[in-house]
Amino acid sequence: MSTDIICEESPFTPVIEENRKKYHVRGMVEVAQTKIQPPKIIWNNLALIPNSVAEFVGPPSIGKSRIVASLAKCQILGRDFAGLPTCKTPLRWLFMGTENGMHRINNEGCQYLCGVKGELTLDWTPEQFQEAASKQGFSASDLKQLDDNFRTFTLEAPEDYDIRLNDPKNIGKLEATLSDERPDILVCDPWGDLIAGDELNDGDVRNTICILRQCFANTHLQCFTIFINHSRMGKAESLKAIGCDAGNYGKNSKCLFSISRCVFNLRNAIADPTAVEIICAKNNEAALPPSIAVRLNPQTMSYDKVENFKPTGNNAEASIQSSLSRKQKTINELKKTVLDIICKAGLENPYSRKCLLEALQDRRFAKSSIEHYLQKAVQ
């Protein structure tokens, strides 16, 4: 499928036939001889394939929305993001989601363009705004490009907070929005806002993506979709963002990982918690790029590349094993201590659970570890 221009027709011009009785089938040689342009690379080997899906996965507040938004802004302006080139052809991005309200969008837009918070621009004229933006390196044409191609859904009424695709009314609104905006890239932030049903249910996940693709068909769009998705939380779970467990990092149904053509897992860098490590967990359309790290610039609310960053790599597997070894060591010490306490007390003076708990705490064992051990012992 040609993506030389994202909304250009494919070599096989799609025809919408409501009553078509069979699927499209073509011969191997026919397909092999078809002149198909290589896909554009949006950034870091993220290939622009119409009607396909990509994911950015990470825990709450790590910066998923901001990272993807920064990527979009850099791509529209043809600038590098995190030290890596972006597609030089400006693409039209549409952000849909209910987590980020007008206040945050306004505030971060002002910080990105003018270097100050939105509250400090309340009495500015358009000319003053443009003058401040020019000092930050944005020309008048840059501002127009961003206004035309960085499009975001804004929460302005109570009903705006419900965009789930299990409601025909919402499907109609989405189709009308797609028809009017004509995006090249749709960003669903977060993915859970649009799901028609349960995000842990394989059938509901596949059904939601089918509904979304039907919306593209009904509006004659060939759109690339990025899902911003929540991961499992906790230090132990962050170690699973890379390696054999990378597909389990997202908290949703695993079929979303299989459907996605490219998946980036985000976590706080183990060696530097102030940085966010971006790990490509899967890439079906291009080579798997190496991990990189970025750090938020609080002045502009954009991201800078962390130089000389050394990816954790397979050390994550070693960290998991080390963590498990420490837990097992604690359990063994607990077991030995419990037996020692019971033996010293003698069978004629049995310990109650409460007394045993207090005795173990006196020996500086954590209450959570003691409860875990006692529960296992009872079982």
Side-chain angles (χ1 to χ4, degrees):
M1 186 174 290
S2 172
T3 56
D4 188 43
I5 300 176
I6 185 59
C7 290
E8 187 177 59
E9 290 185 339
S10 70
F12 308 121
T13 303
V15 178
I16 299 176
E17 305 171 80
E18 293 183 3
N19 298 315
R20 183 162 54 86
K21 295 182 179 179
K22 70 168 198 170
Y23 296 109
H24 295 297
V25 178
R26 301 183 186 277
M28 173 186 166
V29 176
E30 180 186 6
V31 175
Q33 291 180 341
T34 303
K35 308 303 180 186
I36 301 178
Q37 294 293 326
K40 288 184 180 296
I41 300 299
I42 301 173
W43 170 80
N44 201 22
N45 280 4
L46 175 60
L48 188 68
I49 307 293
N51 303 313
S52 68
V53 171
E55 273 190 281
F56 281 76
V57 184
S61 300
I62 199 169
K64 301 180 296 298
S65 304
R66 197 176 288 122
I67 284 173
V68 176
S70 294
L71 167 59
K73 295 165 190 173
C74 289
Q75 190 284 310
I76 291 167
L77 298 177
R79 299 180 180 182
D80 290 358
F81 175 67
L84 297 171
T86 60
C87 174
K88 300 306 179 186
T89 302
L91 301 170
R92 191 170 171 87
W93 298 64
L94 172 61
F95 286 75
M96 292 289 298
T98 64
E99 283 194 349
N100 300 315
M102 286 280 282
H103 178 265
R104 173 172 169 173
I105 296 170
N106 167 267
N107 200 41
E108 294 193 1
C110 288
Q111 284 187 266
Y112 178 75
L113 294 171
C114 303
V116 297
K117 292 185 177 181
E119 61 196 42
L120 300 178
T121 68
L122 292 177
D123 59 350
W124 285 10
T125 64
E127 291 74 22
Q128 288 175 308
F129 189 96
Q130 187 165 324
E131 181 182 356
S134 67
K135 292 179 180 178
Q136 295 295 115
F138 297 101
S139 66
S141 62
D142 289 338
L143 298 183
K144 186 176 188 311
Q145 282 279 29
L146 288 168
D147 206 40
D148 289 345
N149 295 306
F150 189 98
R151 310 291 292 170
T152 185
F153 169 60
T154 52
L155 300 169
E156 302 182 33
E159 62 267 23
D160 290 340
Y161 287 84
D162 181 9
I163 57 175
R164 293 169 297 172
L165 295 182
N166 55 359
D167 186 337
K169 180 178 66 176
N170 290 343
I171 294 173
K173 283 184 178 179
L174 179 60
E175 288 186 355
T177 303
L178 292 172
S179 181
D180 189 49
E181 294 293 335
R182 314 302 297 171
D184 300 318
I185 301 172
L186 173 67
V187 180
C188 302
D189 179 18
W191 145 252
D193 275 6
L194 277 78
I195 183 105
D198 182 0
E199 63 182 325
L200 299 178
N201 183 285
D202 288 1
D204 289 346
V205 170
R206 293 186 182 278
N207 183 51
T208 301
I209 293 175
C210 285
I211 292 172
L212 195 57
R213 285 172 173 161
Q214 188 59 51
C215 289
F216 297 156
N218 292 344
T219 53
H220 302 278
L221 275 177
Q222 295 192 58
C223 193
F224 180 69
T225 306
I226 293 176
F227 291 134
I228 296 179
N229 190 20
H230 288 101
S231 70
R232 302 174 189 277
M233 295 185 290
K235 182 177 180 181
E237 296 299 332
S238 74
L239 295 174
K240 300 176 184 178
I242 193 169
C244 298
D245 285 320
N248 292 322
Y249 192 49
K251 72 179 183 68
N252 55 285
S253 162
K254 295 303 169 287
C255 80
L256 185 58
F257 184 85
S258 67
I259 292 170
S260 300
R261 306 304 292 166
C262 185
V263 178
F264 287 101
N265 287 341
L266 278 58
R267 69 176 180 185
N268 290 114
I270 293 174
D272 181 2
T274 66
V276 177
E277 188 175 2
I278 303 176
I279 302 159
C280 189
K282 171 187 177 182
N283 198 347
N284 294 121
E285 305 295 346
L288 203 68
S291 299
I292 63 169
V294 296
R295 184 179 287 110
L296 178 67
N297 182 329
Q299 181 68 24
T300 62
M301 299 306 287
S302 58
Y303 285 84
D304 302 320
K305 182 180 180 182
V306 177
E307 300 295 342
N308 303 317
F309 172 73
K310 295 182 180 179
T312 306
N314 292 331
N315 289 342
E317 301 290 342
S319 298
I320 294 171
Q321 293 303 321
S322 176
S323 176
L324 293 174
S325 297
R326 288 194 300 272
K327 288 181 181 178
Q328 189 60 50
K329 184 178 179 181
T330 302
I331 292 296
N332 290 340
E333 289 177 357
L334 267 169
K335 184 177 179 180
K336 182 179 178 181
T337 306
V338 168
L339 290 174
D340 184 54
I341 291 171
I342 292 173
C343 288
K344 286 182 178 179
L347 295 177
E348 65 277 6
N349 298 308
Y351 259 69
S352 67
R353 182 187 181 94
K354 181 180 178 181
C355 290
L356 185 58
L357 180 62
E358 290 174 352
L360 290 170
Q361 283 183 299
D362 288 341
R363 287 164 172 78
R364 299 188 181 280
F365 285 103
K367 185 176 180 180
S368 58
S369 298
I370 299 168
E371 292 284 6
H372 177 74
Y373 169 72
L374 292 178
Q375 185 180 4
K376 292 287 185 183
V378 170
Q379 290 174 352

